[in-house]
Amino acid sequence: MQIEVITREDLQILRQQLLDDIKELLSVNENTTSKEWLRSSEVRKLLKISPGTLQTLRVNGQLSPTKVNGIYFYKSADVNKMLEPELSTNKKGNRKWS
C-alpha cells in the first residue's frame, strides 16, 4: 500500500479548480431563466441591450410581448431563443440581431 502526501499547494490547486467549475456553472445559468414571463428590465439584462434596442426588437416583431397594465412581459422561451446561435457577430464584435 502506497501513501501519498497531500500538500497545501495541492489543496490550493483543488480549491481553485472547484471555484472555476462553480463560476462556469453559474455563468451558464445566468443566461437562462426558469421564469415563464420576464419584464423588460430582465430581458434587457439577459440580452445585454438598451431600452431602445428592446423597443426595436418589439416593433420589428422579433420579440412579441404581452402588455398588462402598461407593463410589457416577454416569454422566456422567446428570449432564450435570441441567446442561441441565431445571434451573429459583426466585424467590430458587436451583436447583430438577424
Side-chain angles (χ1 to χ4, degrees), residues 59-70:
V59 169
N60 291 340
Q62 292 173 295
L63 276 178
S64 300
T66 298
K67 193 172 183 179
V68 179
N69 291 331

Side-chain angles (χ1 to χ4, degrees), residues 41-74:
S41 60
E42 295 168 316
V43 173
R44 290 193 324 261
K45 183 178 178 184
L46 284 170
L47 296 178
K48 298 178 183 170
I49 58 174
S50 69
T53 302
L54 181 58
Q55 180 179 1
T56 301
L57 293 173
R58 187 171 61 242
V59 169
N60 291 340
Q62 292 173 295
L63 276 178
S64 300
T66 298
K67 193 172 183 179
V68 179
N69 291 331
I71 300 172
Y72 287 107
F73 290 92
Y74 302 84

Side-chain angles (χ1 to χ4, degrees), residues 78 81-89 96-98:
D78 294 341
K81 284 180 188 175
M82 304 247 357
L83 290 169
E84 290 176 1
E86 297 174 17
L87 180 64
S88 60
T89 306
K96 179 181 173 185
W97 303 101
S98 50

Side-chain angles (χ1 to χ4, degrees), residues 25-56:
L25 289 172
L26 289 175
S27 69
V28 168
N29 288 334
E30 256 179 25
N31 292 334
T32 59
T33 181
S34 60
K35 292 169 62 174
E36 187 176 350
W37 294 94
L38 301 171
R39 289 176 167 246
S40 294
S41 60
E42 295 168 316
V43 173
R44 290 193 324 261
K45 183 178 178 184
L46 284 170
L47 296 178
K48 298 178 183 170
I49 58 174
S50 69
T53 302
L54 181 58
Q55 180 179 1
T56 301

